[in-house]
Amino acid sequence: MIVFFLLTNTDNTFQCGATVKYNNFMKKFYIETYGCQMNVADSELVVSLLQDKGYKLTENYKESDIILVNTCAVREKAELRVRGKLTLYKNLKKTNPNLKVGLLGCMGQRTKDELLEQEPVLDFIAGPDAYRDLHNLIEKAEIGQRAVNVQLSKEETYGDLKPVRLDKNGVTAFISISRGCDNMCSFCIVPFTRGRERSRSDKSIIDEAKNAFEKGYREVTLLGQNVDKYKFEDVDFAKLLQKVANVSKKLRVRFSTSYPHDFTNKVIQVMADNENICKSIHLPVQSGSTRMLEKMKRGYTREWYMDRISAIKKIIPECAISTDIIAGFCSETDDDHKDTISLMKWANYDTAFMFKYSERPNNYAQRNYADDIPEDVKSERLSEIIELQSNMSYESNKQDLGKTFEVLVEGTSKRSEKRLFGRNSQNKVIIFDGNKKLVGKYVNVTVNKFTQATLLGEMNE
Ligand code: 5AD
Ligand code: SF4
């Protein structure tokens, strides 16, 4: 699980307006984000909404009046981490009794009022579609009322908002293109926490991309639970991708997450036709066994998935492919597991996110199947999957030795300001020496070393 601790590069001006109440004057809030990129994008919306109401963002939770924890519910582990963090904030309240703590996002949506009862430290909860109401929830909390808004919406896309970018480098930006998910994969909690699928207008997406480019951003990642289902009037995902690519040849475009059942050759073709659309596709397979895929309600077979990978490799041979895999889903046999291993080898993924199945309350799998794979078997299978992927990632990086890539410089390394890092089109991180003035610029780098996780190289003059 990736944990993002969001720091800000926001401007410090106090935004005045009729909606700003005197008692909010310079109230400081701190926001911390767990989970996926979509949550990071949501936190950027929350910052925008609260700044408009006169609240001021701080990077230091110790000096904040309000702490917001934007949460993930996709696996139990993610929730346990948040619970641990809440204990820290409970202790903080002992020294700062006026501190208010609010929980945002999927975990709050899943648990609703129940969590308020279990966690007295919490003053309010807002689900993913309730962020416009956040200032009201905070105001209620200020007068001692604990409040919850977990109303899901069929229309809310926050399409009119201008997110406050939280990425310090000012180079890469996330743009949500759709919210929610209608797929109902049996293991997943997301359709229950993020509600029905809805797409944002293409115009608002293009405007946001143009705006980011004008501010100096050089890469946008289009985000949705299933980007391939994007549809606004007559604009489908392939058309949208083309429109975003047209914003500027100097703006890199990435997207996540694709869904095998809906992933079309049209999208692959648009990628092939546009140099600035990055050659990297994240196509979660979950399992290599058709029997498991059926139980997972994924809507495709092993063969269908393989056909999609073949199409990518045929149309864009240099495209990097990554995936998500779940080990030990309900009733998974050794043979099912072997199917996953053989599919991984066949696909030869560049990278993968790999998880043990984690039962989630009240979704289809929990209500209909037994979580019957013993923990040690889940662990063994996951280890085998991780080991295989580590070897394949190592081999994939080895293939890059001696190659020269165009790299968008994203920042300096933590250890030295003279070390830069960026990514190539295939989404691989490359580290090399250079001047920090190059952040936000494209440079050519030749790979001369590698590890399983990163490439190291030298910049061409
Ligand atoms: N247990 C384990 N992994 C899960 N994922 C989603 N739900 C679960 C679960 N209940 C994984 C899937 C998905 C990724 C975002 O998280 O692989 O693609
Ligand atoms: Fe969950 Fe499936 Fe939707 Fe992804 S596509 S969010 S796994 S239900």
Side-chain angles (χ1 to χ4, degrees):
M1 175 56 50
I2 305 163
V3 181
F4 295 93
F5 289 100
L6 294 183
L7 302 174
T8 173
N9 59 352
T10 184
D11 66 359
N12 289 329
T13 50
F14 174 62
Q15 302 182 8
C16 210
T19 48
V20 180
K21 293 201 176 152
Y22 179 71
N23 65 353
N24 291 342
F25 185 71
M26 287 307 192
K27 276 245 155 88
K28 290 183 190 154
F29 70 101
Y30 170 84
I31 185 162
E32 174 176 318
T33 308
Y34 292 83
C36 61
Q37 294 170 329
M38 199 85 186
N39 259 15
V40 178
D42 277 6
S43 287
E44 296 184 336
L45 294 172
V46 165
V47 174
S48 162
L49 282 162
L50 288 185
Q51 284 189 343
D52 275 352
K53 297 289 178 194
Y55 295 91
K56 189 173 177 296
L57 185 63
T58 171
E59 294 178 18
N60 181 357
Y61 71 89
K62 288 185 183 157
E63 63 161 44
S64 64
D65 304 294
I66 302 145
I67 291 178
L68 302 170
V69 188
N70 194 359
T71 61
C72 169
V74 87
R75 281 170 292 277
E76 193 187 11
K77 242 191 193 167
E79 294 201 6
L80 293 175
R81 283 185 97 133
V82 169
R83 297 274 187 159
K85 212 58 198 276
L86 292 181
T87 313
L88 173 79
Y89 297 143
K90 192 167 83 188
N91 292 332
L92 206 63
K93 274 192 169 185
K94 287 180 192 151
T95 49
N96 177 8
N98 292 327
L99 176 69
K100 301 294 169 209
V101 180
L103 193 120
L104 314 181
C106 290
M107 186 173 163
Q109 188 70 41
R110 187 186 78 69
T111 51
K112 306 185 176 72
D113 304 20
E114 197 189 310
L115 196 66
L116 270 196
E117 280 162 36
Q118 294 168 358
E119 297 284 357
V121 63
L122 287 178
D123 297 290
F124 56 94
I125 291 178
D129 287 345
Y131 297 146
R132 287 185 204 269
D133 192 35
L134 201 51
H135 65 287
N136 288 323
L137 299 174
I138 295 173
E139 278 172 20
K140 279 187 187 153
E142 299 287 357
I143 56 167
Q145 288 176 11
R146 298 175 84 208
V148 177
N149 186 341
V150 285
Q151 191 69 42
L152 284 174
S153 156
K154 284 189 185 146
E155 289 92 32
E156 181 63 272
T157 62
Y158 301 110
D160 56 312
L161 298 184
K162 288 202 166 50
V164 174
R165 304 284 172 208
L166 294 167
D167 167 30
K168 276 216 149 182
N169 296 325
V171 180
T172 58
F174 293 130
I175 302 184
S176 308
I177 63 165
S178 57
R179 296 182 74 82
C181 187
D182 282 354
N183 276 12
M184 290 284 177
C185 301
S186 64
F187 55 78
C188 189
I189 196 75
V190 168
F192 303 94
T193 61
R194 287 190 166 268
R196 302 304 299 267
E197 214 163 68
R198 65 222 102 117
S199 296
R200 191 180 156 187
S201 81
D202 51 321
K203 184 179 178 310
S204 73
I205 295 166
I206 304 303
D207 286 349
E208 195 175 323
K210 280 186 181 155
N211 192 276
F213 185 74
E214 277 155 21
K215 285 196 173 139
Y217 287 85
R218 289 294 172 263
E219 182 182 298
V220 291
T221 303
L222 308 180
L223 295 178
Q225 237 67 49
N226 175 358
V227 291
D228 300 300
K229 289 273 282 293
Y230 177 86
K231 185 88 180 138
F232 191 83
E233 293 168 354
D234 64 337
V235 181
D236 62 9
F237 184 57
K239 272 194 188 168
L240 179 76
L241 204 51
Q242 184 60 63
K243 283 180 178 225
V244 180
N246 291 345
V247 168
S248 166
K249 293 273 166 271
K250 286 270 163 225
L251 182 70
R252 276 187 171 180
V253 186
R254 298 186 188 276
F255 55 88
S256 186
T257 304
S258 305
Y259 193 75
H261 177 262
D262 306 314
F263 186 66
T264 61
N265 285 4
K266 242 167 87 185
V267 168
I268 309 176
Q269 200 53 56
V270 174
M271 291 177 75
D273 294 344
N274 291 272
E275 211 180 316
N276 59 326
I277 302 181
C278 291
K279 305 302 180 264
S280 141
I281 295 175
H282 186 63
L283 199 64
V285 65
Q286 315 298 358
S287 168
S289 148
T290 295
R291 191 183 79 85
M292 282 292 100
L293 291 170
E294 242 168 62
K295 277 200 96 149
M296 289 175 166
K297 296 189 171 291
R298 292 286 289 180
Y300 56 85
T301 59
R302 175 186 171 95
E303 289 70 30
W304 173 283
Y305 183 88
M306 288 168 85
D307 172 71
R308 297 293 72 217
I309 297 282
S310 298
I312 299 167
K313 291 190 174 181
K314 186 165 164 229
I315 303 173
I316 316 175
E318 77 278 21
C319 193
I321 304 172
S322 57
T323 199
D324 292 348
I325 294 173
I326 298 178
F329 185 58
C330 312
S331 86
E332 187 186 68
T333 61
D334 279 337
D335 281 346
D336 293 319
H337 171 65
K338 278 186 194 140
D339 283 349
T340 297
I341 295 287
S342 71
L343 183 83
M344 286 176 75
K345 286 182 183 160
W346 176 85
N348 195 17
Y349 295 113
D350 295 278
T351 52
F353 296 101
M354 300 151 283
F355 315 100
K356 266 193 254 183
Y357 171 59
S358 163
E359 189 176 68
R360 308 311 293 134
N362 297 321
N363 67 6
Y364 187 91
Q366 191 271 332
R367 283 186 277 110
N368 295 280
Y369 315 138
D371 178 14
D372 53 0
I373 306 304
E375 201 50 34
D376 57 335
V377 178
K378 282 185 186 175
S379 297
E380 255 172 52
R381 288 180 185 167
L382 181 65
S383 301
E384 195 185 335
I385 287 169
I386 291 175
E387 196 188 323
L388 171 60
Q389 188 53 54
S390 302
N391 293 337
M392 292 196 306
S393 298
Y394 183 87
E395 285 302 319
S396 159
N397 284 354
K398 195 171 163 187
Q399 299 297 316
D400 291 336
L401 258 188
K403 286 189 192 162
T404 300
F405 294 104
E406 184 178 61
V407 173
L408 172 61
V409 187
E410 290 180 33
T412 55
S413 96
K414 272 185 211 121
R415 271 184 252 145
S416 160
E417 289 235 314
K418 290 184 188 138
R419 290 294 269 165
L420 302 178
F421 76 90
R423 278 174 297 152
N424 64 6
S425 175
Q426 285 75 9
N427 211 17
K428 287 190 182 177
V429 174
I430 306 191
I431 299 172
F432 53 99
D433 286 344
N435 191 307
K436 69 173 180 187
K437 280 188 197 148
L438 291 171
V439 172
K441 303 268 188 305
Y442 291 98
V443 295
N444 288 320
V445 180
T446 304
V447 177
N448 55 18
K449 268 192 196 156
F450 69 99
T451 68
Q452 175 223 308
T454 37
L455 301 175
L456 299 128
E458 202 173 309
M459 198 170 63
N460 302 3
E461 296 304 329

